[in-house]
Amino acid sequence: MSTDYYELLGVSRTATADEIKRSYRRLARAHHPDQNPDDVEAEDRFKEVARAYEVLSDPDRRARYDRFGSDEAINIGDPFGGGGMGGIGDLFDAFFGGSGSPFGGGARRSGPARGPDLEATARLTFEQAVFGAEYDVNVRTAVTCEDCGGTGANEGSTVDTCSQCNGAGEVRTVRQSMLGQIVSAAPCGACGGQGRVITDPCPGCSGEGRVVTDRTYTVDVPAGVDDGATLRLTGRGAVGARGGPNGDLYVHLVTSPHPRFRRHGADLTEDLRITMTQAALGHQFDYETLDGTEHLEIPAGTANGKVFRLKGRGVPHLHGRGRGDLLVTANVVTPTDLDDEQTDLLHRLAELRGEEVHPPEAGFIKKIRSAFK
């Protein structure tokens, strides 16, 4: 699978935000696990597409991705220590494989590793996606062990600094080359990169500092979300081993279609069936919207395809104020089951209007007449 986010989404590097969003929605639907049960490749592709969209849909992260060209670099904040990857030492880590400096002078950031990210799916009704909702998602996750408080050590015992790496979590080797000294680093084998050694592990978690359990999280779904969107809940993923920070929880939104309305961005549309006489003579009636009952008037002489706009009855703008509109298109239905009286009345109407009407002959009669010609 491609690791270039633009290639993953099938867009050019100059693609607009709308183009990226449309491509993501199309690919997310195609590769969603619910559409491809037991298809591991589709599930992996879905995760890659979601990751690519998460980066490219954020202007700042996209700019950093375009500049550095790597997934590792997109979280870099201030390269001199402001955040993200932790400063200039970690910037060198991203490009030189773990040595804090290419000249051998830096130190690796030690400490427990971050826990894994989790994924869940929220199945929303059309109305929940439009107006927002609170949705409970159930996940199987790792949480801090209550017996040891996340240390991984049995009660009364201590956690010792690894004597092999002196708590750094890695060991370094130096070799000479024609360019001078080359410093390389690798995780410490004695402590598994933790920098600490537990001699008496906690029996409740076997020294992991975490246990697996089921948790329910309430997700605040904002009004106006799209089908296929992904919400990121920072710190709601699994906890890391031995006191490591939590990962994140990614909630993928799947919205059920509405029996009447279709969504186009922030606007809603519906094809409204009206009779020929209603279109010709005019009609007024109570029309049900997502917000309740509206009074809708069909003027006399309404043509097929006429669009009626109900302002502010569409979808709330996700990243702005106000709402879209509801666009109702008149679909004039021609009657096909006329009885003799109704047919005579229409013929009479045509005569009064001076309109020529020459209905085609019935199939059986037409065949008989053709046979005698």
Side-chain angles (χ1 to χ4, degrees):
M1 297 181 182
S2 172
T3 55
D4 185 285
Y5 288 164
Y6 291 98
E7 291 184 12
L8 278 172
L9 295 180
V11 297
S12 68
R13 303 189 78 84
T14 58
T16 65
D18 287 341
E19 290 172 337
I20 291 173
K21 182 178 182 180
R22 286 196 298 268
S23 181
Y24 163 69
R25 292 181 62 188
R26 174 177 57 82
L27 293 171
R29 287 193 183 98
H31 298 292
H32 197 279
D34 291 340
Q35 303 294 329
N36 304 274
D38 303 322
D39 188 338
V40 177
E41 291 186 2
E43 182 177 354
D44 291 341
R45 188 71 172 182
F46 178 79
K47 293 178 181 178
E48 283 200 345
V49 166
R51 174 64 175 171
Y53 179 70
E54 179 193 356
V55 173
L56 299 185
S57 62
D58 185 305
D60 293 334
R61 299 180 72 184
R62 180 180 179 182
R64 290 197 292 270
Y65 179 78
D66 290 342
R67 179 181 178 186
F68 294 104
S70 69
D71 187 33
E72 289 82 1
I74 61 174
N75 289 321
I76 296 175
D78 177 5
F80 298 97
M85 294 182 67
I88 191 67
D90 283 329
L91 178 59
F92 279 118
D93 284 351
F95 294 100
F96 294 96
S99 62
S101 164
F103 309 106
R108 178 183 182 271
R109 183 179 60 191
S110 61
R114 176 180 179 271
D117 295 332
L118 300 177
E119 292 183 287
T121 299
R123 302 183 182 280
L124 307 176
T125 65
F126 192 85
E127 289 81 1
Q128 286 176 322
V130 170
F131 296 115
E134 290 186 348
Y135 190 97
D136 291 339
V137 294
N138 301 312
V139 293
R140 191 155 184 80
T141 184
V143 299
T144 301
C145 175
E146 295 182 356
D147 294 340
C148 64
T151 65
N154 198 6
E155 185 178 0
S157 65
T158 59
V159 180
D160 301 323
T161 300
C162 176
S163 59
Q164 189 73 24
C165 64
N166 293 321
E170 67 178 16
V171 291
R172 298 171 180 267
T173 57
V174 181
R175 63 183 179 88
Q176 296 292 334
S177 73
M178 60 183 298
L179 299 176
Q181 288 187 342
I182 300 296
V183 180
S184 59
C188 176
C191 64
Q194 293 286 333
R196 300 177 298 171
V197 177
I198 298 175
T199 56
D200 185 12
C202 168
C205 63
S206 300
E208 274 284 303
R210 57 184 179 176
V211 294
V212 177
T213 186
D214 293 320
R215 281 288 171 88
T216 299
Y217 295 112
T218 299
V219 181
D220 289 324
V221 179
V225 294
D226 258 334
D227 177 48
T230 297
L231 302 180
R232 178 184 180 184
L233 278 66
T234 304
R236 292 294 182 91
V239 69
R242 300 179 186 177
N246 289 70
D248 298 331
L249 172 61
Y250 292 87
V251 181
H252 307 296
L253 307 181
V254 178
T255 304
S256 301
H258 195 274
R260 291 173 49 208
F261 301 120
R262 295 186 301 275
R263 180 173 175 177
H264 299 276
D267 291 334
L268 297 177
T269 64
E270 182 186 18
D271 289 334
L272 178 65
R273 293 167 61 90
I274 62 175
T275 66
M276 181 181 66
T277 51
Q278 289 172 336
L281 303 176
H283 183 53
Q284 54 181 319
F285 61 100
D286 290 336
Y287 178 75
E288 291 296 328
T289 72
L290 294 180
D291 296 88
T293 303
E294 298 279 344
H295 184 72
L296 185 62
E297 294 185 357
I298 307 294
T302 293
N304 186 60
K306 169 72 175 177
V307 177
F308 300 92
R309 183 183 297 270
L310 279 66
K311 290 187 174 294
R313 290 296 180 260
V315 179
H317 294 288
L318 184 60
H319 299 295
R321 296 181 179 180
R323 293 172 60 177
D325 301 330
L326 172 56
L327 308 178
V328 183
T329 302
N331 185 2
V332 181
V333 180
T334 302
T336 58
D337 55 349
L338 297 174
D339 58 25
D340 292 340
E341 182 180 2
Q342 293 169 342
T343 301
D344 291 340
L345 287 173
L346 285 181
H347 276 291
R348 177 59 177 160
L349 175 62
E351 291 175 3
L352 292 173
R353 292 179 55 83
E355 299 172 349
E356 293 188 3
V357 178
H358 299 288
E361 295 176 333
F364 178 71
I365 297 176
K366 186 176 182 180
K367 289 181 181 179
I368 293 176
R369 288 186 177 178
S370 299
F372 286 96
K373 285 184 179 180

